[in-house]
Amino acid sequence: MKAQYWISSLVVILIVFISLSSCKSGGGDKIKVGEFASLTGKEATFGTSAHEGTLLAIEQVNLSGGVLGKQLELLTEDDQTKAGEPANAVNKLISKDGVIAILGEVASSRSLEAAPICQQSQIPMISPASTNPTVTQEGNYIFRVCFNDDFQGGALANFASGTLKAKKVAILTDVKSDYSKGLAKSFKAKYSNNGGNIGTELDFNGGDKDFKGQLTAIKSDNPDAIFLPGYYNDVALICIQAKQLGMNIPIFGGDGWESESLLTIGKDAMEGHYFSTHCSIEQPTPEMTAFVAAYQKRFEGKTPDAMAVLGYDSAMVLVDAIKRAKTTESVALRDAIAATKNFAGASGNINLNADRDAVKALVFIQIKNEKFTYNTTVNP
Ligand code: PHE
């Protein structure tokens, strides 16, 4: 009787011990980092690329021993490229999962949806690639590791006046996208200032399939170039239809063009057109070279795009800030992120200014023989 009692007590103690220790290694002692991304839906290449870069960074940090003596755990939510989902995603990550920070999104409209929630919860959010100026204006917990569209729009305007020598530019804006509207606005301000003439200005809704009406109107106005601040899938269709209408003026846009899908959809209709973006893997710094090699090893030889590079940098900037803060407590962590200076990122040196935006160079890419070809660099 006595022996049986002792054995069963021992079993109970053992079970309690095992479950406690497995709980510790099974997540209780990890630093939880949240991510929301468009892994599926219309802009799936944006989210997939950013996620892969982010994941690579987290895996590298964990392999080298983690941070503050702990491993990182990345919790990723797919917002499906759908309005309404970013809010659901970050609410879950913050309230249910208890993440210490949030990485995301690429598209400005989706970052703008999540930012007020992160700000209110005092959870730092770092966007890898959202460039609309208002994103970081949501509050002092909201950061980005890329330049904003006041800079990009200005660089595009100077490109139109200088490189293209365009006297009149038509503009086609996606009214569903805060990115497109914001970039059109900053382009117009600078281009007019340069003495340029804004020709026909027309709208479309991201996801439209027929742009012939707008393009025909633009054609009859006879501009020197078309400014198209859109995302790759719409851009490719617009360039195909412009070519079908026999228009052979340059079409140019911003970072939203960057995706391999631009070339697979647009093919030879993309020939000669230009866009600005965050970096070119043809311009390798030691950090970029190391990143490209590690990414290709991890993702079966796939070539990284800007979103992958920036996703990686967003995670590395967070880790660097946790190290400097020596804590994941929210106020200290926010202050440490805000103090990021001269961080050697894969996309370039990252210096956050007082507006929590990175001050960085931009590159122009021209499409030649269905390939992205480095054109020029514009310094801030
Ligand atoms: N800058 C775009 C936005 O703010 C997103 C983007 C970044 C798209 C980088 C492609 C490459 O919406």
Side-chain angles (χ1 to χ4, degrees):
M1 199 61 179
K2 230 179 169 193
Q4 228 174 4
Y5 169 79
W6 278 112
I7 288 169
S8 50
S9 321
L10 210 80
V11 167
V12 168
I13 291 169
L14 255 169
I15 290 173
V16 169
F17 181 79
I18 290 169
S19 55
L20 272 179
S21 57
S22 72
C23 174
K24 231 182 165 187
S25 60
D29 212 25
K30 288 187 177 174
I31 295 176
K32 289 184 181 174
V33 175
E35 182 199 19
F36 68 114
S38 55
L39 298 177
T40 55
K42 179 169 170 277
E43 283 127 32
T45 73
F46 286 173
T48 304
S49 291
H51 171 65
E52 287 171 350
T54 305
L55 183 63
L56 177 64
I58 301 283
E59 287 176 353
Q60 285 183 351
V61 171
N62 283 342
L63 266 178
S64 70
V67 56
L68 307 184
K70 294 179 180 178
Q71 293 281 292
L72 297 170
E73 184 182 358
L74 182 66
L75 296 144
T76 306
E77 291 290 321
D78 176 13
D79 64 35
Q80 306 159 50
T81 318
K82 266 193 207 144
E85 289 304 320
N88 292 340
V90 297
N91 273 323
K92 171 178 180 287
L93 289 166
I94 295 171
S95 310
K96 194 154 161 264
D97 300 327
V99 298
I100 57 115
I102 301 246
L103 303 173
E105 231 254 26
V106 169
S108 291
S109 294
R110 293 191 287 278
S111 288
L112 281 165
E113 196 184 305
I117 300 166
C118 296
Q119 178 65 27
Q120 245 224 317
S121 319
Q122 304 199 317
I123 294 295
M125 167 179 146
I126 308 179
S127 165
S130 287
T131 46
N132 185 284
T134 61
V135 171
T136 49
Q137 290 164 13
E138 290 290 336
N140 60 351
Y141 280 83
I142 316 298
F143 301 88
R144 71 177 117 222
V145 292
C146 56
F147 51 68
N148 77 18
D149 283 336
D150 286 336
F151 174 63
Q152 182 167 226
L156 282 157
N158 291 340
F159 176 81
S161 323
T163 309
L164 297 180
K165 308 223 174 329
K167 301 247 159 21
K168 180 158 85 175
V169 170
I171 305 180
L172 249 179
T173 306
D174 174 359
V175 285
K176 266 202 190 160
S177 147
D178 292 298
Y179 159 74
S180 188
K181 290 185 282 185
L183 192 54
K185 188 174 153 208
S186 38
F187 172 84
K188 273 168 69 176
K190 182 74 178 171
Y191 184 64
S192 311
N193 211 306
N194 288 347
N197 176 5
I198 310 279
T200 309
E201 281 182 73
L202 289 167
D203 292 343
F204 65 95
N205 285 293
D208 284 352
K209 299 289 172 236
D210 183 0
F211 304 91
K212 291 248 168 76
Q214 293 96 317
L215 288 168
T216 306
I218 290 173
K219 190 180 177 190
S220 63
D221 185 36
N222 205 21
D224 300 312
I226 302 173
F227 178 49
L228 179 49
Y231 289 149
Y232 61 93
N233 21 35
D234 304 314
V235 168
L237 292 185
I238 290 169
C239 291
I240 290 172
Q241 292 173 26
K243 188 174 172 175
Q244 286 166 352
L245 289 171
M247 300 168 77
N248 44 35
I249 49 176
I251 304 179
F252 65 105
D255 55 346
W257 282 38
E258 191 175 336
S259 170
E260 270 302 301
S261 304
L262 183 80
L263 304 173
T264 50
I265 304 168
K267 299 194 178 68
D268 62 336
M270 300 312 305
E271 192 62 19
H273 298 325
Y274 299 89
F275 64 97
S276 53
T277 188
H278 302 268
C279 48
S280 159
I281 59 168
E282 274 182 68
Q283 293 276 293
T285 57
E287 290 78 18
M288 177 68 102
T289 309
F291 166 78
V292 173
Y295 182 91
Q296 293 192 318
K297 191 163 164 225
R298 175 68 175 81
F299 300 106
E300 287 124 34
K302 185 173 166 187
T303 305
D305 56 23
M307 285 74 69
V309 183
L310 291 166
Y312 181 84
D313 281 356
S314 69
M316 287 304 195
V317 161
L318 174 64
V319 169
D320 176 65
I322 298 173
K323 283 185 191 154
R324 282 184 286 107
K326 301 191 176 65
T327 172
T328 55
E329 185 275 320
S330 115
V331 176
L333 182 55
R334 178 204 61 193
D335 290 347
I337 300 169
T340 301
K341 285 279 173 287
N342 249 314
F343 179 83
S347 63
N349 250 12
I350 298 173
N351 281 292
L352 294 188
N353 65 14
D355 298 325
R356 298 169 299 283
D357 295 339
V359 181
K360 285 162 92 186
L362 149 168
V363 299
F364 275 93
I365 303 285
Q366 185 176 26
I367 299 148
K368 283 187 186 167
N369 302 315
E370 295 180 37
K371 282 204 180 66
F372 292 152
T373 315
Y374 169 79
N375 183 262
T376 43
T377 298
V378 179
N379 288 308

